[in-house]
Amino acid sequence: MGSIRVLLLAGVIAGFAGGAALAAGSGGGGGMSLPSESGPSYDPAEEYAKALAALDARDFKAAARSAQRVTDAVPQNLDGWKLLGAAQTGAENWKGARRAYERAVKIAPDDLNARGGLGMALARLKDPKARDQLDWLKARSASCGAGCNAELLRSLTAELERALAEPTAPSARLDQPLILADAGDAAYLDAVSLINEGRYEVALARLDAARAAFGPHPDVLTYQGFAHRKLGRFEVAEGFYRQALAAAPDHRGALEYYGELKVERGDLVGARRMLARLERACTYGCAEAETLRSWIDAGGGPER
């Protein structure tokens, strides 16, 4: 995880320096606070990296613990749920794996690993619904066209067929591929260049690769929101901005772009709320707040 932060601190990506890690809360004594306000909290991107490292070391209990912290912090993050499912699969906690993959499928019904992971967990639990997932994978294979990952579909289908035929046999694979941080950085920088060229669809594919490496990193999530917004997918964009702010509530890029989205949707009251949060985050002022203020004053803004 350090490499992406080094790049950001070096100024490679302008305007995104506002993403801050969530600090652990202080304990009791000396002040009046609710337990939910003073309990420990975690940086979900760091916990994601810990979970990947623990999976690689086959410490599935530690992997599940860190992955659970990711999903607690950013409940709508697909990669966090898939990572938790992979950890529970490794630990042979099939009920836990089923719950994690069910959430992943709910978030992204077309995600191949989520479908395969859910089918595996159901097969291990001897639940007949596992066959529904196998049928889904086979149907997807039959209609597999351009851009379809036929190799992954074949692998998932074969693994699930084996699990259904012999539910107690050990699994031959984990469903969450381990991705090196350096590869994630390269995907991230590729995506930034593509966004600057206005090639948003291609950029989104590279951002998916970066997110798989880094988990719910607010910089990646913010750029995903930005690209979807430029493609007119406002609801999808809003979901990514919300995830970014769940990971880092004072992230300046996410606050600015979410505010701009609200202006574009005619929600000036909501945009002013984002501006107020930006002003609290920028003690001495910042370009993000000034840009959002100009959008609000104009009722819109220039193409970015």
Side-chain angles (χ1 to χ4, degrees):
M1 287 303 301
S3 51
I4 195 169
R5 289 190 175 86
V6 169
L7 289 170
L8 292 171
L9 289 171
V12 174
I13 310 303
F16 273 24
L22 303 179
S26 57
M32 189 70 173
S33 64
L34 297 173
S36 62
E37 297 173 333
S38 60
S41 55
Y42 305 94
D43 180 329
E46 289 185 2
E47 293 300 323
Y48 188 91
K50 289 179 184 177
L52 280 179
L55 262 185
D56 197 36
R58 304 189 70 77
D59 186 349
F60 300 118
K61 185 176 291 187
R65 184 168 56 247
S66 288
Q68 185 68 63
R69 290 170 179 168
V70 174
T71 60
D72 287 346
V74 192
Q76 292 304 309
N77 182 255
L78 169 64
D79 301 286
W81 288 110
K82 289 199 296 182
L83 190 58
L84 180 57
Q88 300 291 23
T89 294
E92 297 187 354
N93 177 1
W94 302 116
K95 289 183 178 179
R98 181 197 65 199
R99 286 193 295 269
Y101 282 123
E102 282 175 341
R103 288 295 298 270
V105 168
K106 186 175 182 180
I107 292 169
D110 292 333
D111 188 89
L112 302 183
N113 273 317
R115 289 282 189 170
L118 177 57
M120 286 290 297
L122 291 169
R124 300 303 186 189
L125 292 168
K126 299 182 180 179
D127 189 324
K129 292 179 181 177
R131 192 156 293 278
D132 294 341
Q133 302 307 315
L134 179 59
D135 291 343
W136 187 94
L137 290 169
K138 287 182 173 180
R140 181 53 63 93
S141 293
S143 61
C144 192
C148 172
N149 193 334
E151 183 179 351
L152 178 58
L153 275 167
R154 283 193 296 270
S155 174
L156 290 170
T157 300
E159 179 75 4
L160 185 47
E161 286 177 331
R162 284 194 295 270
L164 284 165
E166 195 177 354
T168 59
S171 176
R173 65 188 295 276
L174 285 176
D175 297 290
Q176 174 66 34
L178 304 187
I179 300 175
L180 296 175
D182 286 348
D185 281 339
Y188 180 74
L189 292 176
D190 285 348
V192 172
S193 296
L194 290 164
I195 283 174
N196 289 336
E197 296 169 8
R199 299 170 63 190
Y200 302 118
E201 288 285 11
V202 186
L204 284 168
R206 300 301 288 148
L207 287 168
D208 282 342
R211 201 186 69 222
F214 298 119
H217 194 292
D219 299 324
V220 177
L221 293 166
T222 297
Y223 264 130
Q224 286 188 291
F226 183 87
H228 279 293
R229 175 181 144 216
K230 288 301 180 183
L231 291 166
R233 302 167 188 157
F234 287 173
E235 289 188 11
V236 178
E238 182 173 20
F240 280 110
Y241 290 146
R242 285 179 176 273
Q243 287 186 57
L245 292 172
D250 291 336
H251 192 276
R252 298 203 302 262
L255 288 169
E256 178 198 341
Y257 292 148
Y258 193 9
E260 291 175 6
L261 172 62
K262 287 180 178 294
V263 172
E264 289 182 294
R265 301 180 85 172
D267 181 9
L268 294 180
V269 172
R272 290 189 183 99
R273 291 196 188 101
M274 291 298 110
L275 178 59
R277 289 178 61 177
L278 258 177
E279 288 174 334
R280 287 194 296 271
C282 304
T283 306
Y284 301 105
C286 58
E288 293 85 355
E290 292 306 313
T291 300
L292 180 54
R293 186 177 292 106
S294 70
W295 274 66
I296 293 170
D297 291 343
E303 283 294 314
R304 301 295 298 274

